[in-house]
Amino acid sequence: IPPILREEVRRATPILGDEVLVYQTSDSDGRLIAALDALPAHRFVVYGMKERPAAGHVRFARFDERGFVRDLAACRAVIA
């Protein structure tokens, strides 16, 4: 995985979106989804876990360079 502050990220135009981007490098900690689910006032997009249907206010995304940079540029916060 390339460094986070690569040229594509630097060129992205930031906008203030309403999702929190969650960058998870392992699918092994099932407590993460429960913790996000306990925060219903926020919407999340999770990268790094198996893609699956959205669960309430948690959306799962498969890693795709363009989609990741777009979501990163439009997120309100990042959890890594």
Side-chain angles (χ1 to χ4, degrees):
I1 296 176
I4 192 75
L5 293 178
R6 54 194 177 275
E7 199 54 38
E8 297 86 349
V9 173
R10 292 174 194 246
R11 284 194 310 256
T13 302
I15 61 170
L16 183 56
D18 64 346
E19 287 185 316
V20 174
L21 187 142
V22 180
Y23 186 75
Q24 172 67 20
T25 58
S26 172
D27 205 21
S28 64
D29 191 352
R31 295 176 298 174
L32 173 64
I33 304 309
L36 298 178
D37 198 41
L39 301 169
H42 300 284
R43 291 183 39 193
F44 299 93
V45 56
V46 178
Y47 279 87
M49 298 185 86
K50 290 179 187 166
E51 188 177 12
R52 58 189 96 169
H57 57 279
V58 181
R59 170 172 75 90
F60 298 89
R62 75 177 167 81
F63 190 79
D64 155 45
E65 181 71 18
R66 280 191 222 147
F68 178 75
V69 171
R70 182 190 61 240
D71 285 341
L72 181 62
C75 70
R76 63 183 303 135
V78 175
I79 298 173

PDB file of all heavy atoms in Angstrom, residues 22 24 26-40 44-50 52-60:
ATOM      1  N   VAL A  22     -12.862   5.289   7.836  1.00  0.00           N
ATOM      2  CA  VAL A  22     -12.195   4.373   8.762  1.00  0.00           C
ATOM      3  C   VAL A  22     -11.272   3.497   7.941  1.00  0.00           C
ATOM      4  O   VAL A  22     -11.722   2.780   7.039  1.00  0.00           O
ATOM      5  CB  VAL A  22     -13.217   3.501   9.530  1.00  0.00           C
ATOM      6  CG1 VAL A  22     -12.498   2.555  10.483  1.00  0.00           C
ATOM      7  CG2 VAL A  22     -14.208   4.378  10.280  1.00  0.00           C
ATOM      8  N   GLN A  24      -8.996   0.489   8.170  1.00  0.00           N
ATOM      9  CA  GLN A  24      -8.727  -0.674   9.020  1.00  0.00           C
ATOM     10  C   GLN A  24      -7.882  -1.653   8.211  1.00  0.00           C
ATOM     11  O   GLN A  24      -8.274  -2.041   7.128  1.00  0.00           O
ATOM     12  CB  GLN A  24     -10.065  -1.309   9.427  1.00  0.00           C
ATOM     13  CG  GLN A  24      -9.960  -2.616  10.144  1.00  0.00           C
ATOM     14  CD  GLN A  24      -9.328  -2.482  11.520  1.00  0.00           C
ATOM     15  OE1 GLN A  24      -9.286  -1.420  12.102  1.00  0.00           O
ATOM     16  NE2 GLN A  24      -8.842  -3.581  12.034  1.00  0.00           N
ATOM     17  N   SER A  26      -7.023  -4.756   9.098  1.00  0.00           N
ATOM     18  CA  SER A  26      -7.268  -6.154   9.432  1.00  0.00           C
ATOM     19  C   SER A  26      -8.764  -6.396   9.568  1.00  0.00           C
ATOM     20  O   SER A  26      -9.500  -5.551  10.056  1.00  0.00           O
ATOM     21  CB  SER A  26      -6.574  -6.508  10.745  1.00  0.00           C
ATOM     22  OG  SER A  26      -6.950  -7.800  11.167  1.00  0.00           O
ATOM     23  N   ASP A  27      -9.179  -7.562   9.154  1.00  0.00           N
ATOM     24  CA  ASP A  27     -10.578  -7.942   9.271  1.00  0.00           C
ATOM     25  C   ASP A  27     -10.825  -8.733  10.554  1.00  0.00           C
ATOM     26  O   ASP A  27     -11.890  -9.256  10.788  1.00  0.00           O
ATOM     27  CB  ASP A  27     -10.957  -8.801   8.057  1.00  0.00           C
ATOM     28  CG  ASP A  27     -12.426  -8.751   7.747  1.00  0.00           C
ATOM     29  OD1 ASP A  27     -13.097  -7.799   8.170  1.00  0.00           O
ATOM     30  OD2 ASP A  27     -12.900  -9.677   7.067  1.00  0.00           O
ATOM     31  N   SER A  28      -9.795  -8.797  11.414  1.00  0.00           N
ATOM     32  CA  SER A  28      -9.847  -9.712  12.546  1.00  0.00           C
ATOM     33  C   SER A  28     -10.526  -9.163  13.805  1.00  0.00           C
ATOM     34  O   SER A  28     -10.897  -9.929  14.672  1.00  0.00           O
ATOM     35  CB  SER A  28      -8.433 -10.169  12.908  1.00  0.00           C
ATOM     36  OG  SER A  28      -7.668  -9.067  13.328  1.00  0.00           O
ATOM     37  N   ASP A  29     -10.679  -7.861  13.920  1.00  0.00           N
ATOM     38  CA  ASP A  29     -11.253  -7.310  15.147  1.00  0.00           C
ATOM     39  C   ASP A  29     -12.719  -6.951  14.940  1.00  0.00           C
ATOM     40  O   ASP A  29     -13.045  -5.873  14.472  1.00  0.00           O
ATOM     41  CB  ASP A  29     -10.464  -6.091  15.614  1.00  0.00           C
ATOM     42  CG  ASP A  29     -10.857  -5.661  17.022  1.00  0.00           C
ATOM     43  OD1 ASP A  29     -11.839  -6.206  17.576  1.00  0.00           O
ATOM     44  OD2 ASP A  29     -10.189  -4.786  17.574  1.00  0.00           O
ATOM     45  N   GLY A  30     -13.599  -7.855  15.279  1.00  0.00           N
ATOM     46  CA  GLY A  30     -15.027  -7.645  15.112  1.00  0.00           C
ATOM     47  C   GLY A  30     -15.601  -6.571  16.001  1.00  0.00           C
ATOM     48  O   GLY A  30     -16.718  -6.120  15.783  1.00  0.00           O
ATOM     49  N   ARG A  31     -14.860  -6.139  17.010  1.00  0.00           N
ATOM     50  CA  ARG A  31     -15.363  -5.102  17.922  1.00  0.00           C
ATOM     51  C   ARG A  31     -15.466  -3.740  17.239  1.00  0.00           C
ATOM     52  O   ARG A  31     -16.221  -2.878  17.694  1.00  0.00           O
ATOM     53  CB  ARG A  31     -14.462  -4.999  19.142  1.00  0.00           C
ATOM     54  CG  ARG A  31     -14.468  -6.265  19.996  1.00  0.00           C
ATOM     55  CD  ARG A  31     -13.498  -6.169  21.133  1.00  0.00           C
ATOM     56  NE  ARG A  31     -12.147  -6.030  20.565  1.00  0.00           N
ATOM     57  CZ  ARG A  31     -11.057  -5.797  21.276  1.00  0.00           C
ATOM     58  NH1 ARG A  31     -11.142  -5.667  22.584  1.00  0.00           N
ATOM     59  NH2 ARG A  31      -9.892  -5.691  20.700  1.00  0.00           N
ATOM     60  N   LEU A  32     -14.735  -3.548  16.158  1.00  0.00           N
ATOM     61  CA  LEU A  32     -14.753  -2.257  15.478  1.00  0.00           C
ATOM     62  C   LEU A  32     -16.159  -1.903  14.999  1.00  0.00           C
ATOM     63  O   LEU A  32     -16.629  -0.789  15.234  1.00  0.00           O
ATOM     64  CB  LEU A  32     -13.785  -2.258  14.287  1.00  0.00           C
ATOM     65  CG  LEU A  32     -13.838  -1.011  13.407  1.00  0.00           C
ATOM     66  CD1 LEU A  32     -13.400   0.224  14.184  1.00  0.00           C
ATOM     67  CD2 LEU A  32     -13.009  -1.192  12.165  1.00  0.00           C
ATOM     68  N   ILE A  33     -16.828  -2.824  14.355  1.00  0.00           N
ATOM     69  CA  ILE A  33     -18.161  -2.545  13.824  1.00  0.00           C
ATOM     70  C   ILE A  33     -19.136  -2.238  14.952  1.00  0.00           C
ATOM     71  O   ILE A  33     -19.944  -1.316  14.854  1.00  0.00           O
ATOM     72  CB  ILE A  33     -18.670  -3.712  12.960  1.00  0.00           C
ATOM     73  CG1 ILE A  33     -17.668  -4.012  11.830  1.00  0.00           C
ATOM     74  CG2 ILE A  33     -20.048  -3.417  12.398  1.00  0.00           C
ATOM     75  CD1 ILE A  33     -17.261  -2.806  11.023  1.00  0.00           C
ATOM     76  N   ALA A  34     -19.045  -2.971  16.043  1.00  0.00           N
ATOM     77  CA  ALA A  34     -19.911  -2.701  17.200  1.00  0.00           C
ATOM     78  C   ALA A  34     -19.641  -1.305  17.754  1.00  0.00           C
ATOM     79  O   ALA A  34     -20.568  -0.593  18.142  1.00  0.00           O
ATOM     80  CB  ALA A  34     -19.701  -3.756  18.282  1.00  0.00           C
ATOM     81  N   ALA A  35     -18.375  -0.898  17.788  1.00  0.00           N
ATOM     82  CA  ALA A  35     -18.028   0.435  18.294  1.00  0.00           C
ATOM     83  C   ALA A  35     -18.582   1.519  17.373  1.00  0.00           C
ATOM     84  O   ALA A  35     -19.132   2.526  17.842  1.00  0.00           O
ATOM     85  CB  ALA A  35     -16.518   0.575  18.431  1.00  0.00           C
ATOM     86  N   LEU A  36     -18.473   1.334  16.068  1.00  0.00           N
ATOM     87  CA  LEU A  36     -19.018   2.314  15.124  1.00  0.00           C
ATOM     88  C   LEU A  36     -20.539   2.343  15.194  1.00  0.00           C
ATOM     89  O   LEU A  36     -21.154   3.406  15.122  1.00  0.00           O
ATOM     90  CB  LEU A  36     -18.567   1.986  13.699  1.00  0.00           C
ATOM     91  CG  LEU A  36     -17.063   2.032  13.434  1.00  0.00           C
ATOM     92  CD1 LEU A  36     -16.781   1.635  11.993  1.00  0.00           C
ATOM     93  CD2 LEU A  36     -16.463   3.385  13.762  1.00  0.00           C
ATOM     94  N   ASP A  37     -21.124   1.182  15.350  1.00  0.00           N
ATOM     95  CA  ASP A  37     -22.575   1.088  15.434  1.00  0.00           C
ATOM     96  C   ASP A  37     -23.119   1.818  16.667  1.00  0.00           C
ATOM     97  O   ASP A  37     -24.249   2.288  16.671  1.00  0.00           O
ATOM     98  CB  ASP A  37     -22.991  -0.381  15.455  1.00  0.00           C
ATOM     99  CG  ASP A  37     -24.445  -0.562  15.118  1.00  0.00           C
ATOM    100  OD1 ASP A  37     -24.934   0.128  14.194  1.00  0.00           O
ATOM    101  OD2 ASP A  37     -25.113  -1.374  15.778  1.00  0.00           O
ATOM    102  N   ALA A  38     -22.298   1.941  17.697  1.00  0.00           N
ATOM    103  CA  ALA A  38     -22.709   2.623  18.925  1.00  0.00           C
ATOM    104  C   ALA A  38     -22.672   4.148  18.776  1.00  0.00           C
ATOM    105  O   ALA A  38     -23.031   4.864  19.698  1.00  0.00           O
ATOM    106  CB  ALA A  38     -21.812   2.192  20.085  1.00  0.00           C
ATOM    107  N   LEU A  39     -22.260   4.629  17.618  1.00  0.00           N
ATOM    108  CA  LEU A  39     -22.172   6.070  17.356  1.00  0.00           C
ATOM    109  C   LEU A  39     -23.127   6.450  16.228  1.00  0.00           C
ATOM    110  O   LEU A  39     -22.716   6.851  15.145  1.00  0.00           O
ATOM    111  CB  LEU A  39     -20.733   6.448  16.974  1.00  0.00           C
ATOM    112  CG  LEU A  39     -19.666   6.118  18.006  1.00  0.00           C
ATOM    113  CD1 LEU A  39     -18.279   6.277  17.421  1.00  0.00           C
ATOM    114  CD2 LEU A  39     -19.837   6.988  19.238  1.00  0.00           C
ATOM    115  N   PRO A  40     -24.430   6.351  16.440  1.00  0.00           N
ATOM    116  CA  PRO A  40     -25.395   6.564  15.357  1.00  0.00           C
ATOM    117  C   PRO A  40     -25.466   7.999  14.837  1.00  0.00           C
ATOM    118  O   PRO A  40     -26.054   8.230  13.789  1.00  0.00           O
ATOM    119  CB  PRO A  40     -26.727   6.142  15.983  1.00  0.00           C
ATOM    120  CG  PRO A  40     -26.538   6.331  17.440  1.00  0.00           C
ATOM    121  CD  PRO A  40     -25.084   6.039  17.705  1.00  0.00           C
ATOM    122  N   PHE A  44     -20.184   6.341   8.594  1.00  0.00           N
ATOM    123  CA  PHE A  44     -18.828   5.831   8.402  1.00  0.00           C
ATOM    124  C   PHE A  44     -18.695   5.110   7.064  1.00  0.00           C
ATOM    125  O   PHE A  44     -19.635   4.456   6.618  1.00  0.00           O
ATOM    126  CB  PHE A  44     -18.473   4.831   9.512  1.00  0.00           C
ATOM    127  CG  PHE A  44     -18.514   5.424  10.889  1.00  0.00           C
ATOM    128  CD1 PHE A  44     -19.662   5.337  11.656  1.00  0.00           C
ATOM    129  CD2 PHE A  44     -17.407   6.073  11.414  1.00  0.00           C
ATOM    130  CE1 PHE A  44     -19.713   5.884  12.930  1.00  0.00           C
ATOM    131  CE2 PHE A  44     -17.445   6.624  12.680  1.00  0.00           C
ATOM    132  CZ  PHE A  44     -18.603   6.533  13.441  1.00  0.00           C
ATOM    133  N   VAL A  45     -17.517   5.220   6.459  1.00  0.00           N
ATOM    134  CA  VAL A  45     -17.135   4.377   5.332  1.00  0.00           C
ATOM    135  C   VAL A  45     -15.875   3.642   5.778  1.00  0.00           C
ATOM    136  O   VAL A  45     -14.907   4.262   6.220  1.00  0.00           O
ATOM    137  CB  VAL A  45     -16.921   5.160   4.022  1.00  0.00           C
ATOM    138  CG1 VAL A  45     -15.886   6.274   4.162  1.00  0.00           C
ATOM    139  CG2 VAL A  45     -16.534   4.199   2.897  1.00  0.00           C
ATOM    140  N   VAL A  46     -15.911   2.310   5.725  1.00  0.00           N
ATOM    141  CA  VAL A  46     -14.828   1.479   6.240  1.00  0.00           C
ATOM    142  C   VAL A  46     -14.070   0.850   5.081  1.00  0.00           C
ATOM    143  O   VAL A  46     -14.658   0.160   4.241  1.00  0.00           O
ATOM    144  CB  VAL A  46     -15.365   0.368   7.176  1.00  0.00           C
ATOM    145  CG1 VAL A  46     -14.240  -0.512   7.675  1.00  0.00           C
ATOM    146  CG2 VAL A  46     -16.140   0.981   8.338  1.00  0.00           C
ATOM    147  N   TYR A  47     -12.772   1.098   5.037  1.00  0.00           N
ATOM    148  CA  TYR A  47     -11.868   0.468   4.071  1.00  0.00           C
ATOM    149  C   TYR A  47     -10.992  -0.520   4.821  1.00  0.00           C
ATOM    150  O   TYR A  47     -10.595  -0.267   5.944  1.00  0.00           O
ATOM    151  CB  TYR A  47     -10.963   1.514   3.412  1.00  0.00           C
ATOM    152  CG  TYR A  47     -11.625   2.269   2.288  1.00  0.00           C
ATOM    153  CD1 TYR A  47     -12.372   3.400   2.537  1.00  0.00           C
ATOM    154  CD2 TYR A  47     -11.497   1.831   0.979  1.00  0.00           C
ATOM    155  CE1 TYR A  47     -12.981   4.094   1.513  1.00  0.00           C
ATOM    156  CE2 TYR A  47     -12.098   2.517  -0.057  1.00  0.00           C
ATOM    157  CZ  TYR A  47     -12.838   3.649   0.203  1.00  0.00           C
ATOM    158  OH  TYR A  47     -13.439   4.324  -0.812  1.00  0.00           O
ATOM    159  N   GLY A  48     -10.675  -1.637   4.176  1.00  0.00           N
ATOM    160  CA  GLY A  48      -9.739  -2.596   4.750  1.00  0.00           C
ATOM    161  C   GLY A  48     -10.384  -3.818   5.362  1.00  0.00           C
ATOM    162  O   GLY A  48      -9.707  -4.717   5.826  1.00  0.00           O
ATOM    163  N   MET A  49     -11.698  -3.870   5.362  1.00  0.00           N
ATOM    164  CA  MET A  49     -12.413  -5.055   5.824  1.00  0.00           C
ATOM    165  C   MET A  49     -13.122  -5.654   4.614  1.00  0.00           C
ATOM    166  O   MET A  49     -13.239  -5.014   3.577  1.00  0.00           O
ATOM    167  CB  MET A  49     -13.417  -4.705   6.919  1.00  0.00           C
ATOM    168  CG  MET A  49     -12.763  -4.139   8.166  1.00  0.00           C
ATOM    169  SD  MET A  49     -13.942  -3.851   9.501  1.00  0.00           S
ATOM    170  CE  MET A  49     -13.963  -5.477  10.246  1.00  0.00           C
ATOM    171  N   LYS A  50     -13.610  -6.860   4.754  1.00  0.00           N
ATOM    172  CA  LYS A  50     -14.331  -7.474   3.644  1.00  0.00           C
ATOM    173  C   LYS A  50     -15.522  -6.608   3.268  1.00  0.00           C
ATOM    174  O   LYS A  50     -16.256  -6.134   4.132  1.00  0.00           O
ATOM    175  CB  LYS A  50     -14.826  -8.864   4.032  1.00  0.00           C
ATOM    176  CG  LYS A  50     -13.721  -9.864   4.187  1.00  0.00           C
ATOM    177  CD  LYS A  50     -14.278 -11.199   4.591  1.00  0.00           C
ATOM    178  CE  LYS A  50     -13.136 -12.138   4.916  1.00  0.00           C
ATOM    179  NZ  LYS A  50     -13.574 -13.322   5.627  1.00  0.00           N
ATOM    180  N   ARG A  52     -19.082  -5.714   2.276  1.00  0.00           N
ATOM    181  CA  ARG A  52     -20.371  -6.326   2.602  1.00  0.00           C
ATOM    182  C   ARG A  52     -21.436  -5.249   2.499  1.00  0.00           C
ATOM    183  O   ARG A  52     -21.115  -4.064   2.403  1.00  0.00           O
ATOM    184  CB  ARG A  52     -20.327  -6.936   3.997  1.00  0.00           C
ATOM    185  CG  ARG A  52     -19.988  -5.918   5.084  1.00  0.00           C
ATOM    186  CD  ARG A  52     -19.727  -6.555   6.409  1.00  0.00           C
ATOM    187  NE  ARG A  52     -18.297  -6.727   6.546  1.00  0.00           N
ATOM    188  CZ  ARG A  52     -17.674  -7.057   7.652  1.00  0.00           C
ATOM    189  NH1 ARG A  52     -18.360  -7.273   8.732  1.00  0.00           N
ATOM    190  NH2 ARG A  52     -16.392  -7.194   7.703  1.00  0.00           N
ATOM    191  N   PRO A  53     -22.695  -5.626   2.542  1.00  0.00           N
ATOM    192  CA  PRO A  53     -23.748  -4.599   2.474  1.00  0.00           C
ATOM    193  C   PRO A  53     -23.636  -3.621   3.647  1.00  0.00           C
ATOM    194  O   PRO A  53     -23.159  -3.980   4.724  1.00  0.00           O
ATOM    195  CB  PRO A  53     -25.043  -5.413   2.571  1.00  0.00           C
ATOM    196  CG  PRO A  53     -24.673  -6.798   2.162  1.00  0.00           C
ATOM    197  CD  PRO A  53     -23.234  -6.975   2.582  1.00  0.00           C
ATOM    198  N   ALA A  54     -24.078  -2.413   3.408  1.00  0.00           N
ATOM    199  CA  ALA A  54     -24.066  -1.402   4.463  1.00  0.00           C
ATOM    200  C   ALA A  54     -24.897  -1.889   5.643  1.00  0.00           C
ATOM    201  O   ALA A  54     -25.875  -2.608   5.488  1.00  0.00           O
ATOM    202  CB  ALA A  54     -24.629  -0.084   3.943  1.00  0.00           C
ATOM    203  N   ALA A  55     -24.448  -1.508   6.824  1.00  0.00           N
ATOM    204  CA  ALA A  55     -25.148  -1.866   8.061  1.00  0.00           C
ATOM    205  C   ALA A  55     -25.534  -0.574   8.754  1.00  0.00           C
ATOM    206  O   ALA A  55     -24.734   0.017   9.472  1.00  0.00           O
ATOM    207  CB  ALA A  55     -24.252  -2.718   8.951  1.00  0.00           C
ATOM    208  N   GLY A  56     -26.738  -0.105   8.497  1.00  0.00           N
ATOM    209  CA  GLY A  56     -27.186   1.146   9.105  1.00  0.00           C
ATOM    210  C   GLY A  56     -26.359   2.314   8.611  1.00  0.00           C
ATOM    211  O   GLY A  56     -26.348   2.610   7.425  1.00  0.00           O
ATOM    212  N   HIS A  57     -25.625   2.926   9.485  1.00  0.00           N
ATOM    213  CA  HIS A  57     -24.838   4.110   9.143  1.00  0.00           C
ATOM    214  C   HIS A  57     -23.369   3.767   8.867  1.00  0.00           C
ATOM    215  O   HIS A  57     -22.521   4.648   8.840  1.00  0.00           O
ATOM    216  CB  HIS A  57     -24.951   5.155  10.260  1.00  0.00           C
ATOM    217  CG  HIS A  57     -24.522   4.641  11.592  1.00  0.00           C
ATOM    218  ND1 HIS A  57     -25.351   3.881  12.384  1.00  0.00           N
ATOM    219  CD2 HIS A  57     -23.356   4.741  12.257  1.00  0.00           C
ATOM    220  CE1 HIS A  57     -24.699   3.551  13.488  1.00  0.00           C
ATOM    221  NE2 HIS A  57     -23.495   4.055  13.431  1.00  0.00           N
ATOM    222  N   VAL A  58     -23.076   2.463   8.635  1.00  0.00           N
ATOM    223  CA  VAL A  58     -21.718   2.008   8.324  1.00  0.00           C
ATOM    224  C   VAL A  58     -21.720   1.397   6.928  1.00  0.00           C
ATOM    225  O   VAL A  58     -22.458   0.456   6.655  1.00  0.00           O
ATOM    226  CB  VAL A  58     -21.217   0.969   9.355  1.00  0.00           C
ATOM    227  CG1 VAL A  58     -19.802   0.521   9.021  1.00  0.00           C
ATOM    228  CG2 VAL A  58     -21.278   1.528  10.770  1.00  0.00           C
ATOM    229  N   ARG A  59     -20.892   1.970   6.047  1.00  0.00           N
ATOM    230  CA  ARG A  59     -20.757   1.493   4.666  1.00  0.00           C
ATOM    231  C   ARG A  59     -19.380   0.867   4.521  1.00  0.00           C
ATOM    232  O   ARG A  59     -18.387   1.387   5.024  1.00  0.00           O
ATOM    233  CB  ARG A  59     -20.923   2.690   3.726  1.00  0.00           C
ATOM    234  CG  ARG A  59     -20.600   2.453   2.286  1.00  0.00           C
ATOM    235  CD  ARG A  59     -20.998   3.653   1.431  1.00  0.00           C
ATOM    236  NE  ARG A  59     -20.133   4.803   1.536  1.00  0.00           N
ATOM    237  CZ  ARG A  59     -19.058   5.025   0.769  1.00  0.00           C
ATOM    238  NH1 ARG A  59     -18.659   4.151  -0.115  1.00  0.00           N
ATOM    239  NH2 ARG A  59     -18.362   6.146   0.927  1.00  0.00           N
ATOM    240  N   PHE A  60     -19.291  -0.262   3.814  1.00  0.00           N
ATOM    241  CA  PHE A  60     -18.027  -0.960   3.614  1.00  0.00           C
ATOM    242  C   PHE A  60     -17.607  -0.802   2.162  1.00  0.00           C
ATOM    243  O   PHE A  60     -18.406  -1.029   1.250  1.00  0.00           O
ATOM    244  CB  PHE A  60     -18.174  -2.442   3.956  1.00  0.00           C
ATOM    245  CG  PHE A  60     -18.552  -2.659   5.390  1.00  0.00           C
ATOM    246  CD1 PHE A  60     -19.877  -2.694   5.780  1.00  0.00           C
ATOM    247  CD2 PHE A  60     -17.568  -2.786   6.358  1.00  0.00           C
ATOM    248  CE1 PHE A  60     -20.234  -2.869   7.106  1.00  0.00           C
ATOM    249  CE2 PHE A  60     -17.917  -2.954   7.688  1.00  0.00           C
ATOM    250  CZ  PHE A  60     -19.246  -3.000   8.055  1.00  0.00           C
TER     251      PHE A  60
END
